[in-house]
């Protein structure tokens, strides 16, 4: 965990509104590399202790990826899918900043799910989703990657369809990181770093999921161009990610 995170969280919790909490986070890690841990199968191939207790990086764990580094997480990036409302997450401590995205069309139902236990939440924003928009409007299908900056300007995000697009990259940019490295972001369908029995909902590996995964892969040339145009860097630590070959592939020791 970055040394500043716990103090930042305490400052965050002094504010009541999401808007004020987001303002506090603005550019707070601009001297750091954002490391996004995604729960793809390749996440389990890495010895992640080389990332521990470093102030030159900020660790954003997506959902069940939290379990691989536990209390080293700076930001836990979550939604209520693949989420057990009874068990929730097994937090080692509550020093990390817990950031939920709730589908705008289902905010009430998803809020009730969080209140069941209740589960800890430091920030939540609505994610603009169907039926307000269609699949053609989601970020990877439309290649409208300017939507990554939405969170920096208002308390909401846009359907990805991936949580990496909806929340992890937008939060990395909000906190000021110009270099982003992904670990375990494999862009696959159906396989994860965890077992299906560990969660109460797993999307079917059906024709629609497979097509959406392929659409995401096919749009990565546009994704590369967007990062390049905005003088930002996205690097990939995964030996299976099929994204555009212009993205720099790196080893864990290069972070």
């Amino acid at each position: 965990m970055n040394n500043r995170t716990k103090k930042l969280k305490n400052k965050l919790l002094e504010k009541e509104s999401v808007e004020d909490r987001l303002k506090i986070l603005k550019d707070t890690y601009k001297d750091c590399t954002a490391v996004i841990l995604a729960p793809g199968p390749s996440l389990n191939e890495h010895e992640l202790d080389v990332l521990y207790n470093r102030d030159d990086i900020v660790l954003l764990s997506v959902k069940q990826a939290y379990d691989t580094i536990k209390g080293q997480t700076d930001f836990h990036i979550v939604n209520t899918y693949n989420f057990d409302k009874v068990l929730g997450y097994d937090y080692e401590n509550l020093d990390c900043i817990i950031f939920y995205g709730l589908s705008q069309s289902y905010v009430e139902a998803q809020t009730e799910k969080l209140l069941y236990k209740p589960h800890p939440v430091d920030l939540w924003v609505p994610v603009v989703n169907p039926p307000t928009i269609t699949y053609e409007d989601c970020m990877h299908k439309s290649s409208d990657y300017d939507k990554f900056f939405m969170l920096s300007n208002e308390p909401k995000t846009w359907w990805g369809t991936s949580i990496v697009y909806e929340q992890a990259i937008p939060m990395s940019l909000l906190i000021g990181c110009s270099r982003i490295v992904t670990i375990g972001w494999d862009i696959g369908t159906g396989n994860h770093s965890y077992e299906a029995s560990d969660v109460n909902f797993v999307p079917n590996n059906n024709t629609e999921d497979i097509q959406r995964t392929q659409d995401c892969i096919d749009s990565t040339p546009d994704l590369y161009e967007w990062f390049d145009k905005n003088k930002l860097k996205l690097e990939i630590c995964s030996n299976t990610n099929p994204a555009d070959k212009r993205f720099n592939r790196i080893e864990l020791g290069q972070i």
Side-chain angles (χ1 to χ4, degrees), residues 37-68:
L37 303 180
S42 72
L43 181 63
N44 294 329
E45 299 172 4
H46 301 287
E47 297 292 334
L48 299 173
D49 56 351
V50 298
L51 305 175
Y52 291 3
N53 301 315
R54 287 175 52 178
D55 290 339
D56 61 328
I57 62 176
V58 53
L59 295 170
L60 298 91
S61 298
V62 175
K63 300 169 73 169
Q64 284 82 7
Y66 173 87
D67 294 330
T68 62

Side-chain angles (χ1 to χ4, degrees), residues 5-250:
T5 300
K6 187 175 180 180
K7 296 176 183 177
L8 184 61
K9 175 163 178 169
N10 290 335
K11 186 176 180 182
L12 201 75
L13 296 179
E14 293 175 358
K15 301 297 181 181
E16 293 292 330
S17 73
V18 172
E19 291 87 347
D20 286 341
R21 292 184 181 190
L22 289 172
K23 286 177 184 177
I24 286 174
L25 291 176
K26 182 75 172 176
D27 291 335
T28 46
Y29 295 86
K30 62 183 178 181
D31 58 335
C32 297
T33 293
V35 180
I36 297 173
L37 303 180
S42 72
L43 181 63
N44 294 329
E45 299 172 4
H46 301 287
E47 297 292 334
L48 299 173
D49 56 351
V50 298
L51 305 175
Y52 291 3
N53 301 315
R54 287 175 52 178
D55 290 339
D56 61 328
I57 62 176
V58 53
L59 295 170
L60 298 91
S61 298
V62 175
K63 300 169 73 169
Q64 284 82 7
Y66 173 87
D67 294 330
T68 62
I69 63 168
K70 293 287 188 179
Q72 287 291 327
T73 296
D74 293 291
F75 287 80
H76 191 198
I77 309 296
V78 271
N79 57 30
T80 62
Y81 301 100
N82 291 12
F83 173 80
D84 190 313
K85 71 177 182 180
V86 177
L87 299 176
Y89 290 96
D90 182 19
Y91 286 107
E92 184 175 17
N93 56 56
L94 291 177
D95 293 341
C96 66
I97 295 168
I98 303 169
F99 173 43
Y100 271 87
L102 303 183
S103 300
Q104 183 172 265
S105 302
Y106 314 115
V107 164
E108 184 175 351
Q110 293 182 358
T111 301
E112 289 176 0
K113 196 172 182 180
L114 291 178
L115 291 172
Y116 184 89
K117 194 173 180 178
H119 301 279
V121 181
D122 298 315
L123 285 166
W124 76 268
V125 298
V127 179
V128 180
N129 73 309
T132 305
I133 61 174
T134 69
Y135 173 65
E136 299 297 320
D137 300 315
C138 80
M139 272 192 272
H140 80 239
K141 185 63 174 174
S142 66
S143 291
D144 185 5
Y145 297 115
D146 285 341
K147 293 288 196 305
F148 286 145
F149 287 131
M150 178 179 280
L151 187 65
S152 298
N153 298 311
E154 56 183 318
K156 65 172 62 174
T157 65
W158 196 267
W159 191 29
T161 60
S162 162
I163 190 173
V164 170
Y165 287 10
E166 293 169 7
Q167 292 173 245
I169 292 176
M171 179 56 75
S172 300
L173 297 175
L174 171 70
I175 61 179
C177 301
S178 58
R179 182 194 183 209
I180 300 172
V181 176
T182 66
I183 305 173
W185 182 49
D186 300 327
I187 317 185
T189 302
N191 295 319
H192 298 89
S193 59
Y194 55 89
E195 297 297 326
S197 58
D198 294 337
V199 297
N200 68 347
F201 171 81
V202 177
N204 293 324
N205 189 12
N206 57 30
T207 302
E208 182 180 60
D209 291 331
I210 293 170
Q211 184 58 57
R212 289 184 177 185
T213 297
Q214 189 59 52
D215 290 342
C216 183
I217 296 168
D218 291 344
S219 70
T220 56
D222 293 335
L223 182 66
Y224 177 88
E225 296 290 348
W226 185 88
F227 270 89
D228 187 59
K229 177 185 70 174
N230 286 280
K231 295 180 171 54
L232 300 167
K233 183 178 290 187
L234 177 65
E235 298 178 296
I236 298 170
C237 185
S238 166
N239 58 12
T240 60
N241 185 304
D244 190 289
K245 298 304 181 186
R246 290 175 293 175
F247 283 111
N248 190 30
R249 267 63 173 184
I250 64 172

